Structure formats: C-alpha cells, structure tokens
Amino acid sequence: EIVLTQSPGTLSLSPGERATLSCRASQSVRSSYLAWYQQKPGQAPRLLIYGASSRATGIPDRFSGSGSGTDFTLTISRLEPEDFAVYYCQQYGTSLTFGGGTKVEIK
Amino acid sequence: QVQLVQSGAEVKKPGASVTVSCTASGYTFTSYYMHWVRQAPGQGLEWMGIINPNGGTTSYPQKFQGRLTMTRDTSTNTVYMELSSLRSEDTAVYYCARVNDYFAITGAFDVWGQGTMVTVSS
C-alpha cells in the first residue's frame, strides 16, 4: 500500500498569504495519479486538482498542483477567507489511498 | 445537475448490519464507477471499495473483505453499501463518490454524496 504523508499538519497563515502544502508518497505514484481535495466542517470533500496538476471544473486559478514520483505540492497563491479548511491528497495509481490531511487555519 | 443523494443517518448496535444508499442523477449512471469512502469523527478519509454500476462487479481492500457488500440497482440509479458485524470503530460518515472519467475504474472523485452518519453504539 502506498502511504501518503502530508506536511505540515497545520499551517497558520493570514488572508493574502501564500500556502504551500506537501504530500510525500512511500513509493512512486504511477502516472502522477494524484489528486487534492478541500474539506470544510460538515461538508463532503471537494476536488481541486487531479493528475497532479490539472484543476477541476470551477476551481480558481489561485490553486495549483505540481510534482511527480513521490513528491507533490499544492499551492494556494493568495489565501482567501473561504480557503481556510483541511486539504487531503489522494493517490489512485496503485489501489487508492489518502493522506492524513493538512489544516490551513487563520493566523 | 449532477448529484449523489445518500440515505439518512443510522444508529446501530454492535454486531448489526447497516445499508447506506446513494442515488445518482444528472448523468448516465452506468458510465461512471462509484467508490465509497468513510471518515471517522475528527479523522481523515479512508477508501472502502468500488463498484461498477454497469456490470455490478466490485473490489474491496482486504480490510473490508468478508464484511462489506456493494450492490447496485440500475432501474433506480442507486448503489448500496452494506457493512456487517459492526463495531464501535465503524462509527463514521460514509460517502459515495463518482470517478471523474467515464469508464475509468479509478481516479479522482469529482462528485460526492452529502455523507451518511453511521453510529455504532450499545
């Protein structure tokens, strides 16, 4: 099973700042089959990025994904108030696993 | 619009079974694989398995084999997830989620149900 480790566990930032979230895999993710989700309290996850770098429909361009192999990054260029949430990475190249999540909180 | 609507919250005793339904609308039901994911209170996401709405074939990770059954009804565009021999650790929100590419067995999940809370308590 591919284990995904997300860091940091919590990111404390102010609106307007840049957020950089990391997702590291225990082995190479096939074909960059990696996705990122945003989840707010009481809501289902929302797809942001798939294929490591493709934005899902309707996702603002302040969200971007990069990486390959075992190291992936989600970047939020300028945090908006609605971006404070928990973010999960998911690999779907070999079976399917999720990372443990990164909480982006208001500083 | 494309949506998945799940059945309501359940409270079950240890050892019992629970069935959660997920009804799809707004797209061709048999063209997209469906997965189930659960989330224990305050915890992360856990993948539970997959069903092909077209042929009904399923695949579950070893952790759930023997306790988990996924089925579908193409006449009502509904998939079902039945988990048996419930224990307290099964207390979680259960989600159905659609793969974002038609006929792809796995992938990113672009549409999610609203979630169904299942509480296991004596």
Side-chain angles (χ1 to χ4, degrees):
Chain A
E1 173 182 299
I2 295 180
V3 176
L4 299 179
T5 301
Q6 292 189 239
S7 61
T10 302
L11 199 50
S12 298
L13 295 168
S14 300
E17 290 194 292
R18 182 184 188 89
T20 303
L21 287 67
S22 173
C23 177
R24 180 161 292 175
S26 60
Q27 54 188 281
S28 184
V29 176
R30 185 172 66 92
S31 302
S32 293
Y33 285 156
L34 188 111
W36 290 92
Y37 299 87
Q38 175 193 70
Q39 188 178 35
K40 297 179 181 179
Q43 296 184 15
R46 173 194 180 198
L47 177 64
L48 301 174
I49 301 288
Y50 63 95
S53 60
S54 298
R55 267 189 302 276
T57 303
I59 301 304
D61 60 8
R62 64 180 181 273
F63 291 91
S64 64
S66 63
S68 63
T70 59
D71 288 296
F72 298 88
T73 300
L74 174 70
T75 301
I76 310 171
S77 58
R78 295 172 310 279
L79 282 165
E80 297 288 340
E82 61 268 26
D83 299 337
F84 292 92
V86 179
Y87 293 82
Y88 293 96
C89 59
Q90 170 212 26
Q91 69 79 25
Y92 47 94
T94 304
S95 187
L96 197 154
T97 50
F98 289 94
T102 290
K103 181 179 182 180
V104 178
E105 66 176 22
I106 299 177
K107 186 174 182 180
Chain B
Q1 73 280 23
V2 176
Q3 64 176 347
L4 302 174
V5 177
Q6 298 183 219
S7 50
E10 303 267 8
V11 179
K12 296 291 183 181
K13 294 193 182 302
S17 297
V18 68
T19 298
V20 178
S21 68
C22 169
T23 300
S25 61
Y27 71 96
T28 302
F29 175 67
T30 52
S31 295
Y32 293 81
Y33 282 72
M34 197 80 79
H35 293 242
W36 288 87
V37 175
R38 74 178 183 179
Q39 185 172 36
Q43 302 302 307
L45 302 167
E46 180 178 29
W47 177 65
M48 297 184 69
I50 176 175
I51 182 167
N52 176 1
N54 189 26
T57 54
T58 57
S59 178
Y60 317 130
Q62 188 160 3
K63 174 177 181 176
F64 294 105
Q65 288 181 9
R67 282 209 303 145
L68 179 60
T69 304
M70 296 179 187
T71 56
R72 96 290 188 219
D73 182 344
T74 56
S75 68
T76 60
N77 289 353
T78 300
V79 295
Y80 299 91
M81 186 281 301
E82 179 185 12
L83 189 62
S84 62
S85 303
L86 290 169
R87 34 207 187 232
S88 59
E89 310 89 89
D90 294 318
T91 294
V93 176
Y94 289 75
Y95 295 100
C96 56
R98 188 191 82 161
V99 175
N100 73 335
D101 194 8
Y102 49 81
F103 302 123
I105 293 174
T106 189
F109 301 150
D110 62 343
V111 184
W112 292 67
Q114 83 275 21
T116 297
M117 182 70 211
V118 174
T119 302
V120 183
S121 174
S122 54

